[in-house]
């Protein structure tokens, strides 16, 4: 907090309104406008892009300078030195675990990965061609009916148990969505495998074969989960917080985050990258589509370049690029769409138009290519995003529930009819 004050002058009012100004540990100061309501005013901020709706200690983003910190640690360092489950512990608890704490946490998550057998029957109620995100919305919300023994949100132990269950069971449910679509048997988790390795085993393994997952692909999957673990107060995280402010159980809150993530403007970005590559079709067509992208009167857009938050570069993209190169080298795939992607990457890093506008390839561009190369269908991309992001959602939910909070109640600028009488 600072001693600074802001003063608001409104035409027609004799006195200036004094508003406190608060400073965070880093980033811009915020003006406390809560006192305006008593004076008969609301602020007007569509999309809440200029409004801090909460105080948080979890993640910080400086989009102008390409900075992303989790509990103060740069994402590049976490991606190089940590792994997904250690990052989960960090987001949930505020500090990196000791070796003993990490072993205990990994053991807890590993032994919570199974879901109730009746969940298999629940999935059979979906048609085979149901979108995986629709199944995830229903399945995660339904977890509350299986685990109502620990839904007291005022109990820190219950909140921790729910967090562990959600992180552990999300990859199992995600793989079940995929297997249901294929009509294949669901694969049980394998407690001898790591988190990402186990996910790929449940996705692509069958009861007919011994488990076999490439360490390179497992590492790549772990990086995808880690780089999507949290991203501050985005649409889905804000949705989780808003749902949680009503006192809803954590499974319902995470299900609400999944619904928000489902939107193409949020979680569908890496799926849009593959759709774009399909539209371009081959390397021979790239120049034509790049010209269309440069034409301000043409509606075509190159997806996966630039970012609405990062005005310089996406710090996650550098890590994902190296991982992408490793995966393509491991698989040795000769896929025309991957050839298109690599050529687009070269153009974006060299063409003055893209460089001047800072339209660098972002994390969605590279993660889309990786998942395509691994063999994950595009309709599963957002499900995998949700799996990685679950820890961020639950960390923000827990942070809010642990402190003082109010139920969310945004205001509006009403422009409809004033009061009028019913005719006759």
């Amino acid at each position: 907090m600072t001693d600074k004050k802001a003063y608001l002058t409104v035409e027609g009012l004799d006195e200036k309104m004094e508003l406190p100004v608060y400073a965070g540990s880093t980033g811009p100061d915020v003006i406390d406008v809560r006192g305006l309501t008593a004076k008969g005013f609301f602020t007007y901020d569509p999309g809440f892009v200029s409004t801090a709706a909460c105080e948080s200690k979890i993640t910080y983003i400086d989009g102008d300078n390409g900075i992303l910190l989790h509990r103060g640690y740069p994402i590049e360092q976490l991606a190089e030195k940590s792994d997904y489950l250690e990052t989960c512990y960090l987001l949930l608890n505020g500090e990196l675990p000791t070796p003993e704490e990490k072993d205990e946490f990994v053991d807890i998550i590993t032994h919570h990965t199974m879901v109730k057998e009746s969940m298999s029957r629940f999935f059979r109620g979906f048609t085979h061609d149901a979108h995986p995100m629709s199944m995830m919305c229903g399945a995660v919300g339904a977890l509350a009916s299986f685990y109502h023994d620990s839904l007291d949100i005022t109990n820190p132990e219950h909140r921790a148990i729910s967090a562990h269950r959600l992180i552990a069971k999300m990859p199992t449910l995600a793989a079940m969505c995929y297997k249901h679509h294929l009509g294949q048997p669901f694969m049980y988790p394998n407690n001898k495998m790591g988190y990402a390795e186990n996910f790929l085993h449940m996705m692509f393994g069958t009861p007919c074969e011994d488990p076999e997952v490439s360490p390179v692909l497992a590492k790549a999957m772990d990086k995808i989960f880690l780089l999507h673990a949290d991203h501050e107060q985005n649409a889905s995280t804000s949705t989780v917080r808003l749902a949680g402010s009503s006192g809803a159980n954590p499974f319902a809150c995470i299900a609400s985050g999944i619904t928000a993530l489902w939107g193409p403007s949020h979680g569908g970005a890496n799926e849009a990258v593959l759709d774009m590559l399909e539209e371009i079709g081959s390397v021979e067509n790239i120049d034509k589509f790049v010209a269309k992208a440069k034409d301000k009167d043409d509606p075509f857009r190159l997806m996966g370049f630039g970012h609405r938050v990062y005005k310089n570069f996406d710090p996650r993209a550098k890590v994902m690029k190296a991982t992408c190169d490793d995966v393509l080298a491991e698989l040795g795939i000769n896929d025309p769409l991957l050839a298109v992607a690599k050529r687009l990457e070269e153009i974006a890093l060299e063409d003055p138009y893209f460089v001047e506008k800072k339209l660098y390839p972002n994390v969605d561009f590279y993660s889309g290519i990786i998942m395509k190369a691994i063999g994950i269908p595009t309709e599963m991309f957002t499900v995998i995003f949700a799996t990685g992001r679950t820890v961020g959602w639950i960390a923000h939910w827990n942070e809010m529930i642990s402190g003082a909070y109010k139920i969310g109640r945004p205001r509006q600028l009403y422009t409809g009819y004033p009061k009028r009488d019913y005719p006759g």
Side-chain angles (χ1 to χ4, degrees), residues 278-320:
E278 292 275 5
E279 184 178 358
I280 294 173
S282 67
V283 173
E284 290 73 24
N285 296 329
I286 287 179
D287 289 344
K288 178 180 71 174
F289 280 93
V290 168
K292 285 164 65 68
K294 292 179 180 181
D295 184 353
K296 63 181 181 180
D297 295 324
D298 194 304
F300 176 78
R301 291 178 57 208
L302 285 176
M303 307 303 295
F305 296 88
H307 196 283
R308 67 171 60 88
V309 172
Y310 299 108
K311 307 307 179 188
N312 192 333
F313 63 90
D314 183 342
R316 302 167 298 172
K318 291 185 176 180
V319 179
M320 197 97 293

Side-chain angles (χ1 to χ4, degrees), residues 68 75 223-228 231 269-270 273 304-307 310 313-321 324 360-371 385 389:
L68 170 59
I75 189 64
K223 284 283 193 295
I224 288 175
F225 287 146
L226 189 156
L227 293 174
H228 288 89
H231 212 233
N270 45 22
V273 170
F305 296 88
H307 196 283
Y310 299 108
F313 63 90
D314 183 342
R316 302 167 298 172
K318 291 185 176 180
V319 179
M320 197 97 293
K321 171 178 167 49
C324 183
Y360 304 113
N362 60 35
V363 69
D364 299 308
F365 181 78
Y366 292 115
S367 63
I369 295 172
I370 291 171
M371 289 190 282
F385 191 163
R389 182 56 55 85

Side-chain angles (χ1 to χ4, degrees), residues 365-410:
F365 181 78
Y366 292 115
S367 63
I369 295 172
I370 291 171
M371 289 190 282
K372 162 74 172 172
I374 290 175
I376 298 171
T378 54
E379 60 267 23
M380 281 293 297
F381 285 7
T382 314
V383 172
I384 291 171
F385 191 163
T387 301
R389 182 56 55 85
T390 293
V391 66
W393 291 333
I394 201 72
H396 282 275
W397 172 83
N398 187 53
E399 180 182 61
M400 181 185 70
I401 298 297
S402 300
Y405 66 96
K406 294 182 177 180
I407 187 170
R409 180 59 172 88

Side-chain angles (χ1 to χ4, degrees), residues 7-18 39 41:
Y7 295 92
L8 177 63
T9 301
V10 180
E11 187 176 342
L13 294 183
D14 296 331
E15 296 182 359
K16 294 180 180 179
M17 286 182 271
E18 182 181 290
K39 301 290 186 179
F41 295 95

